[in-house]
Amino acid sequence: MTNIVITVIAVLAGVLMCFEGYKLFRLSLGIAGGVAGFILSRLFITMTGSMGMSWNSTGKNVVIFLFTIGLAILAFSLYMKALIAVTTIVCAFWFYDDFSFLFAQITNSGVRFLCTYGAGLLVGAIIGVIVYFAQKWTISLFTAYTGAKIISGVLAPIIWAWVSSAENVGILEQKVLGADIDITFTLVRVIILVAFCAAGFALQLKTSRK
């Protein structure tokens, strides 16, 4: 039941950011702050766990809740003052999650982690500065992408569980994608991400002119 509630809340928050991010940017920034808090809480649990500290499920949930709600409130309160920091954290994690293969040749796991996250922080900081100063269309793009990323992160596993059956995969590959394209979880996630990001960005640009 808890997982269903969290899933619904995440999808609604993602839709709000994706399609109304520019109009409701302060609220969207609060949602992004919550995402950043969730990311930092998981990182905190992982790092303290590697140092010998054990966490039970209740303790993990409390830490995640405090980080998520705390940074959401902080980002909402500080508003534009928190923009670059929140953008940097969120983008750094997504860079690490999506582009860690670029540093796969580094054999030392600690060095690989630092290089990947360091590159992610640099990219995130650059994006944050661009969004802060350019605003309008970059805010629309950032919120559309962030919302789409949240939506794809929630919906992709659900949709993949359905399409991954042999019968459905065969239909999609032969009649939709073509026989030369193999459907994978990454492909499903990318399709959802691109579709929602493009739709959200287009709608935000259209409505922001009114």
Side-chain angles (χ1 to χ4, degrees):
M1 182 64 182
T2 303
N3 290 336
I4 295 175
V5 172
I6 293 174
T7 298
V8 172
I9 292 175
V11 171
L12 291 176
V15 169
L16 179 66
M17 282 196 72
C18 187
F19 295 100
E20 296 290 338
Y22 181 76
K23 284 186 176 181
L24 304 174
F25 185 55
R26 186 165 199 150
L27 180 59
S28 296
L29 194 58
I31 295 172
V35 173
F38 179 80
I39 291 169
L40 290 178
S41 69
R42 298 297 295 269
L43 184 61
F44 175 78
I45 291 171
T46 301
M47 291 180 65
T48 53
S50 63
M51 294 166 56
M53 186 173 181
S54 61
W55 295 91
N56 56 32
S57 59
T58 302
K60 289 180 180 179
N61 290 334
V62 170
V63 170
I64 291 172
F65 177 82
L66 291 176
F67 269 81
T68 301
I69 300 300
L71 262 74
I73 294 174
L74 190 63
F76 182 84
S77 302
L78 294 177
Y79 193 31
M80 295 302 290
K81 294 178 181 178
L83 174 60
I84 296 178
V86 169
T87 304
T88 300
I89 294 171
V90 172
C91 291
F93 173 78
W94 285 337
F95 183 92
Y96 178 82
D97 191 39
D98 294 337
F99 297 101
S100 57
F101 65 90
L102 296 174
F103 300 88
Q105 293 183 347
I106 300 177
T107 55
N108 187 292
S109 59
V111 175
R112 184 170 63 249
F113 174 84
L114 290 176
C115 289
T116 309
Y117 244 108
L121 289 172
L122 178 61
V123 172
I126 293 172
I127 294 174
V129 170
I130 292 173
V131 173
Y132 183 86
F133 287 104
Q135 298 194 17
K136 196 160 185 180
W137 74 268
T138 53
I139 288 177
S140 298
L141 180 58
F142 171 71
T143 53
Y145 178 81
T146 303
K149 188 77 172 178
I150 295 172
I151 295 169
S152 65
V154 175
L155 294 185
I158 298 173
I159 296 176
W160 173 247
W162 176 78
V163 303
S164 59
S165 68
E167 179 181 353
N168 292 329
V169 167
I171 294 173
L172 287 169
E173 289 180 351
Q174 293 176 18
K175 297 186 177 181
V176 180
L177 298 173
D180 295 332
I181 300 178
D182 295 327
I183 188 167
T184 63
F185 174 75
T186 301
L187 178 61
V188 171
R189 188 175 66 170
V190 169
I191 290 174
I192 297 172
L193 173 64
V194 172
F196 273 97
C197 183
F201 183 51
L203 184 63
Q204 286 196 55
L205 288 183
K206 183 178 179 180
T207 54
S208 65
R209 296 192 189 104
K210 297 181 179 179

